[in-house]
Amino acid sequence: MSESEFGSASIYRILKKAGAERVGDDAIIEMKNALEDIGVKIGQKAAELANHAGRRTVKGADIKLAVKTFLEK
């Protein structure tokens, strides 16, 4: 298993905020993997948008637009 960018406590808090009464270790691992996959896809799209705009710097607006296009799929 590779090292995740997200801490277990953070994932636990997110799941509790979402309404989970109890959170299993396997749920934390799966959520970490899902969030990392989604984050990479959004990051790639944001970098693509910045590049298309002639910038090397990814800005907040790039992330917002990348999330919007990701959620529309």
Side-chain angles (χ1 to χ4, degrees):
M1 182 169 79
S2 66
E3 190 65 28
S4 175
E5 300 296 324
F6 299 100
S8 296
S10 299
I11 300 299
Y12 177 82
R13 283 191 303 273
I14 289 169
L15 290 169
K16 292 293 276 186
K17 266 188 194 178
E21 286 188 39
R22 298 177 67 193
V23 179
D25 290 341
D26 59 334
I28 291 173
I29 291 167
E30 290 303 319
M31 185 71 148
K32 279 183 186 181
N33 292 336
L35 289 175
E36 232 170 284
D37 290 345
I38 291 167
V40 168
K41 289 176 184 172
I42 290 170
Q44 288 170 337
K45 182 64 177 176
E48 201 177 286
L49 292 166
N51 188 34
H52 180 72
R55 292 182 276 108
R56 292 181 1 199
T57 303
V58 174
K59 300 196 175 212
D62 299 321
I63 298 293
K64 285 181 182 180
L65 188 55
V67 168
K68 185 177 177 183
T69 43
F70 181 80
L71 292 176
E72 288 175 353
K73 288 182 180 181

